[in-house]
Amino acid sequence: MKSNYIQTAVVILLCILFIYAGIFKAMDYQLFLSDLSKSPLLVKYDKTLLAPMVLGTEFLIVVLLSFTLTRKAGLFLSFFVMLLFTLYLSTLYFLYTNIPCSCGGILGKMSYPTHIIFNAVFTVMSAAAILVGVKKPVILK
């Protein structure tokens, strides 16, 4: 029973995070595209395809998390995306200088170390929500 509350709390927080991030990126889409273009890790990718994919994935996660039947897929996708974002930011921070963050709103104003920790916490929360949702095996006596 307690695991349901934990998973629900994490799902709500993830939905808030992805809605917030997606809306801010969409509201200033040109800035989002511009910041993506400045990333040395993304030079090989077409930003006009990458940007909508990022936004679409963020909103897809919210939709998946919103329904019981798709919640597990939403949690796995949110874990994967948060892990990727955390690794991406860590790589930028440790290997490059003066690279703007393409996250919107207050997330984009965080320092890199703060943002990396923030993302890592949400990554761990996603993993925890997945793990508490896993049914324990029945042990036969």
Side-chain angles (χ1 to χ4, degrees), residues 107-129:
L107 300 174
K109 300 201 184 332
M110 290 181 183
S111 69
Y112 267 88
T114 302
H115 201 159
I116 292 166
I117 292 168
F118 178 87
N119 281 13
V121 167
F122 272 87
T123 303
V124 170
M125 286 175 24
S126 296

Side-chain angles (χ1 to χ4, degrees), residues 29-49:
Y29 191 71
Q30 291 308 314
L31 177 62
F32 175 50
L33 275 175
S34 172
D35 287 346
L36 281 179
S37 297
K38 295 174 186 171
S39 173
L41 298 176
L42 304 175
V43 292
K44 296 178 184 177
Y45 302 99
D46 182 358
K47 305 324 170 277
T48 59
L49 292 175

Side-chain angles (χ1 to χ4, degrees), residues 18 56-58 60-61 64 71-83 126 130:
F18 284 112
T57 301
E58 289 177 338
L60 173 63
I61 289 170
L64 292 172
R71 186 158 298 144
K72 188 175 183 180
L75 286 169
F76 275 103
L77 185 57
S78 66
F79 171 78
F80 178 71
V81 166
M82 290 307 301
L83 182 63
S126 296
I130 292 166

Side-chain angles (χ1 to χ4, degrees), residues 3 11-12 27 34 68 71 75-76 79 92-93 100 120 124-125 130 135 140:
S3 63
V11 165
I12 290 168
M27 284 175 47
S34 172
T68 307
R71 186 158 298 144
L75 286 169
F76 275 103
F79 171 78
L92 286 179
Y93 178 69
V124 170
M125 286 175 24
I130 292 166
K135 303 289 186 221
L140 299 174

Side-chain angles (χ1 to χ4, degrees), residues 7-27:
Q7 191 176 68
T8 300
V10 171
V11 165
I12 290 168
L13 290 171
L14 287 166
C15 285
I16 291 169
L17 172 66
F18 284 112
I19 288 170
Y20 178 83
I23 287 174
F24 266 92
K25 288 174 190 155
M27 284 175 47

